[in-house]
Structure formats: structure tokens, C-alpha cells
Amino acid sequence: MSALKDRLRADLTTAIKARDDLRSSTLRMLLTAITNAEVAGKSQVELSDDDIVGLLSTEAKKRREAATAFEDGGRLEMAAKERAELEVLTDYLPQQLTEAEVSEIITAAIAKVGAAGEGMKAMGKVMGVVTPQVKGRADGSAVAAEVRRQLSA
């Protein structure tokens, strides 16, 4: 079993004993999402830590988007709840990259694949090199936007 999944289960037990409703409900939701991902498809699989980090990133993105939507709709209490869940999820994500670090990785990838003068045609090649380096540590849409910006410059 993955170490991250073990940690999530142990933290859930601790949160339940401490009567931390927010943390326990968020961890339950996350463990349910992991179980659903493991049993989806034709055969059951055991998710690796990398797979779980990817799932965590997806759940965190859902919380960010939901909080924004609730704020736009004037439902501030629901937005606050989503942001609180996001904080719990970020405890389990790897350290997020800064914009400058993402920019450096992209610049190095463009040089590596020789895409400097190709423009947007090289987007796929660059993203193929960059994605494994930033997976779980940066928002994919922000990374793609930065790649577009650097390729069009």
C-alpha cells in the first residue's frame, strides 16, 4: 500500500479522535475518491503515491474553482468552506512551484527541445517535457499559459 494512503488513513483517525469535523470530512472525501479510482475500470488496481498526488491535485483544483464560483454567486460561507477544504488538501500536496520556478523550467525545456523559433507548433513537445517536472506542483492551465507566452514571444 502507498505511504501517502497510509498517512491519509492515520490522519483521518487522528482527526476523528480530535473531533475535527472539517479535516475528517475532507479526508473521508479524499479516501473515497482514491477508492473509487482504484476500483474504476475492468480490474481493481492499487494507486501509487504519484497517482494519489495527481488525484489530490484534481480535488484541490475542484475546491479552488468551487470557491471562486461561490464567491461570484455571493455565497461567501460556502466559498469559505471550500477554501478550508483546500487548505487541508494542500497539506498533502508537494511544495508548489513559484511562477519564477515554472518559468525557468519552461525556458530550459524550450532550449532542450530546440523550440525557440517554432512558435505554437512546438507546444506539444514543450508540454511533454515540462509536464512530468511540474506534475502535482503547479496548476496545469497556468503552466500551459506560460508555455504559450514564451513560445509566442
Side-chain angles (χ1 to χ4, degrees):
M1 187 181 301
S2 83
L4 184 53
K5 190 173 175 182
D6 285 340
R7 180 177 162 214
L8 289 167
R9 285 190 173 145
D11 289 353
L12 174 60
T13 303
T14 304
I16 291 170
K17 288 179 181 177
R19 299 186 190 275
D20 185 346
D21 293 334
L22 173 71
R23 183 169 285 276
S24 62
S25 68
T26 304
L27 291 176
R28 275 191 180 115
M29 173 274 310
L30 184 57
L31 286 166
T32 300
I34 291 169
T35 302
N36 288 341
E38 288 177 336
V39 299
K42 294 182 179 180
S43 63
Q44 185 171 346
V45 295
E46 184 77 26
L47 294 182
S48 68
D49 280 349
D50 288 340
D51 296 332
I52 293 174
V53 167
L55 193 67
L56 267 165
S57 297
T58 302
E59 293 296 326
K61 183 177 180 181
K62 286 180 188 177
R63 297 302 170 285
R64 274 192 296 275
E65 291 171 352
T68 303
F70 281 131
E71 283 177 357
D72 292 346
R75 306 220 23 221
L76 300 180
E77 70 285 345
M78 292 300 292
K81 179 181 181 285
E82 294 292 332
R83 292 211 190 285
E85 287 181 2
L86 177 61
E87 281 186 37
V88 173
L89 293 175
T90 55
D91 290 345
Y92 299 96
L93 283 170
Q95 181 67 38
Q96 297 296 295
L97 295 170
T98 64
E99 288 181 30
E101 290 170 327
V102 170
S103 183
E104 287 176 26
I105 290 170
I106 292 169
T107 303
I110 289 172
K112 180 178 179 182
V113 298
E118 293 184 38
M120 293 307 294
K121 292 189 299 184
M123 177 91 178
K125 286 193 274 187
V126 175
M127 287 299 290
V129 172
V130 170
T131 301
Q133 296 176 22
V134 300
K135 184 175 182 175
R137 301 186 315 148
D139 181 40
S141 58
V143 171
E146 179 63 18
V147 169
R148 274 189 225 99
R149 186 189 71 73
Q150 287 194 24
L151 286 175
S152 63

